[in-house]
Amino acid sequence: MSVSGRAVTVLGAGIGGLGCALALARRGGRVRVFEQSREIAEVGAGIQISPNGMRVLDALGLGDEVRAGAPRARAVSLRNHADGREVVRLDLARLAPGQDYRFVHRADLIGALATAAREAGVEIRLGRRVHGVEPGRPARLRLAGGATAEADLVIGADGVHSVLRPVLEGPQKARFTGQVAWRAVIDNDIDHPPEARVHMGPGRHLVSYPLRGGAAINLVAVEERAAWTAEGWDHADDPDALRAAFAGFGGRVPAMLGAVESVGLWGLHRHPVAGRWHGAGVALLGDAAHPTLPFLAQGANMALEDAWVLAACLDARDDTDAALARYQALRRKRVARVIAAAEGNAWKYHLRNPLIRRSAHLAMGLLGRVSPGRMVRGFDWLYAHDVTREA
């Protein structure tokens, strides 16, 4: 088989990178991970792992461990911003049997993946910054301080600022979407139920859902804004700025925002899906290949799917080039559809005209009452997909 005994270097100890490292090590690969940070921190807080992502975690043997501390989602509830009234409810209990949707703390998932990867023989090297990658057989890496390294295969799972992607694609500039997002975690003092609540308002929306057995609440708040300069996850902001931006929101929102003590802020940028995901001895994975906006909660799920499919394709073919081509062929159309669907949700949440917003909410509510099952089935293309069988 193609993986057994091969030296693989993964760039980035995120969800996709660690998931891929684990999947390759379980297939006999000699895997190391280079992570530029000196520790694996709790950046990002909450994520939603939908059934398609949970299938990968089950296949990796981590499903039960992740479920142990992650609330099972009962519903996605779209709500009016002014009074918190529910507009329409996507009842996740109507998903097909075996489709498990969870609210997970990112640090818990990263910790589980890292522990399992180390137990499988993966070497995780923290504080290792890679300055350049040269495709080839072997592929070569230039590290900070002048050191070099080689590998049979280098996988770029290093996010939107990937050092490998420009090698394959050339320089590309991201486009600011006109939206920024705040992220915070607070104590669950309002008895938030196990559902994702999307509070929709003019030019902005706020998502809330519980974490860690219901002890905490994850908040993601998005606002349309004319300008932004930086992109990333680590820009601290004043909680009062978040509260001011959502001052017109009612229901439980004021209580949740009042509990925010620290908050991160980042600009949402649109990156095209990479045209080339692989070259001689190199491949892209997750956000490095196809960054997505957070309006469908699929970034982590797509990275997990990529991780499994890449490992399975490499294991099924002795020809690495053919395996990487098969990986891209299996993934590119699906991730493009996910990205398009995520972008389409933004305008639905942010309707500014009161009459249009009221009409849209009435239509959504009517559909939810008349045909609730149809609304859930509309996500079968996403949630019912099983890459552990596909690849």
Side-chain angles (χ1 to χ4, degrees):
M1 288 296 186
S2 170
V3 172
S4 183
R6 307 225 20 212
V8 182
T9 296
V10 179
L11 309 183
I15 291 168
L18 290 172
C20 189
L22 175 58
L24 290 169
R26 293 266 178 84
R27 290 168 167 83
R30 295 185 292 112
V31 188
R32 63 185 173 186
V33 176
F34 286 167
E35 167 57 45
Q36 65 179 358
S37 300
R38 295 192 176 277
E39 61 179 350
I40 300 177
E42 295 189 6
V43 177
I47 53 176
Q48 300 179 47
I49 302 297
S50 50
N52 48 306
M54 284 302 305
R55 290 189 188 93
V56 176
L57 293 176
D58 282 332
L60 291 172
L62 298 177
D64 290 343
E65 181 178 351
V66 171
R67 289 182 181 92
R72 183 169 189 167
R74 291 196 313 228
V76 176
S77 172
L78 304 187
R79 293 172 172 261
N80 178 57
H81 78 287
D83 56 12
R85 175 184 54 84
E86 186 171 79
V87 173
V88 65
R89 186 177 187 82
L90 182 67
D91 184 2
L92 297 178
R94 294 178 178 270
L95 290 171
Q99 293 198 22
D100 196 3
Y101 197 122
R102 297 281 170 162
F103 300 130
V104 182
H105 198 293
R106 184 178 184 275
D108 297 340
L109 178 54
I110 290 285
L113 287 167
T115 297
R118 288 188 174 105
E119 290 175 350
V122 175
E123 181 183 4
I124 301 176
R125 298 187 181 181
L126 302 177
R128 299 303 296 268
R129 184 179 295 273
V130 177
H131 286 322
V133 180
E134 179 183 339
R137 298 178 177 85
R140 293 180 171 84
L141 302 98
R142 289 185 291 104
L143 307 177
T148 61
E150 294 183 348
D152 296 325
L153 178 64
V154 173
I155 298 172
D158 47 345
V160 295
H161 300 299
S162 171
V163 70
L164 176 57
R165 175 168 171 150
V167 175
L168 297 173
E169 289 281 281
Q172 294 177 323
K173 188 173 182 179
R175 175 180 60 82
F176 177 55
T177 64
Q179 301 168 99
V180 299
W182 290 269
R183 189 183 291 268
V185 176
I186 61 173
D187 292 337
N188 187 5
D189 294 330
I190 65 165
D191 195 24
H192 196 301
E195 60 189 34
R197 292 181 169 178
V198 183
H199 312 261
M200 305 176 294
R204 67 207 67 207
H205 76 278
L206 183 144
V207 180
S208 62
Y209 53 85
L211 296 172
R212 288 180 166 165
I217 298 173
N218 190 68
L219 300 176
V220 179
V222 177
E223 178 191 37
E224 294 177 3
R225 182 180 292 186
W228 179 260
T229 55
E231 180 183 23
W233 292 80
D234 55 354
H235 308 290
D237 196 33
D238 186 341
D240 284 339
L242 169 61
R243 286 187 272 269
F246 288 81
F249 280 51
R252 294 294 186 92
V253 172
M256 290 190 292
L257 295 185
V260 174
E261 296 180 355
S262 62
V263 64
L265 174 68
W266 77 101
L268 301 182
H269 289 68
R270 179 68 179 90
H271 301 253
V273 177
R276 293 182 62 202
W277 293 25
H278 60 91
V282 297
L284 297 173
L285 181 152
D287 281 351
H290 49 78
T292 183
L293 296 174
F295 305 134
L296 197 61
Q298 284 298 305
N301 295 287
M302 290 300 103
L304 286 169
E305 287 190 2
D306 282 359
W308 183 270
V309 174
L310 177 54
C313 286
L314 288 168
D315 203 33
R317 287 169 170 77
D318 291 326
D319 184 333
T320 300
D321 291 339
L324 296 178
R326 176 62 173 161
Y327 157 65
Q328 178 171 337
L330 286 171
R331 297 299 301 151
R332 197 174 192 283
K333 185 176 180 180
R334 175 162 169 82
V335 299
R337 184 177 182 184
V338 167
I339 290 168
E343 292 181 344
N345 277 346
W347 73 268
K348 299 174 187 177
Y349 295 160
H350 292 184
L351 294 172
R352 290 182 178 274
N353 185 293
L355 293 178
I356 294 176
R357 184 168 64 249
R358 177 175 172 78
S359 296
H361 287 187
L362 286 172
M364 284 191 289
L366 179 61
L367 177 61
R369 290 190 297 273
V370 172
S371 186
R374 178 183 173 188
M375 293 193 68
V376 176
R377 289 194 300 272
F379 289 91
D380 280 351
W381 68 273
L382 179 58
Y383 298 156
H385 194 76
D386 186 354
V387 297
T388 67
R389 296 189 178 188
E390 171 193 57

